[in-house]
Amino acid sequence: VTNSHFEHNPTVDYIKYAQAFWMLKSIQDFYENHDLNKNDVPLIVTGDLNSVPNGSSVHLIMGINMIQLSFRI
């Protein structure tokens, strides 16, 4: 389980993208350092991404194909 809180300012989507990148990189490093497989060890990502469903950070996270998000509006 991981939790994150991304930048709130809607005009700096590039910062949210960078935050998503580093979050995913940290998750990948954790899996590799502990010899884990994403198919054997499920991952739950929670938090406040401060983004919209079509935001760049959401596209990055969804494109990794290891995280499934649901949005509450």
Side-chain angles (χ1 to χ4, degrees), residues 1-67:
V1 176
T2 184
N3 186 35
S4 218
H5 189 180
F6 290 1
E7 171 64 41
H8 72 281
N9 187 336
T11 65
V12 292
D13 192 53
Y14 62 95
I15 291 176
K16 296 174 201 178
Y17 184 88
Q19 290 173 313
F21 173 84
W22 287 111
M23 179 187 72
L24 294 171
K25 175 75 170 106
S26 296
I27 292 167
Q28 179 183 10
D29 290 348
F30 180 84
Y31 270 71
E32 289 174 358
N33 291 337
H34 293 85
D35 200 27
L36 301 172
N37 183 316
K38 69 178 183 175
N39 296 319
D40 297 331
V41 180
L43 172 67
I44 299 171
V45 175
T46 65
D48 184 351
L49 302 182
N50 282 313
S51 188
V52 294
N54 65 346
S56 66
S57 59
V58 175
H59 279 272
L60 176 63
I61 293 168
M62 297 299 287
I64 295 301
N65 195 25
M66 67 186 252
I67 300 171

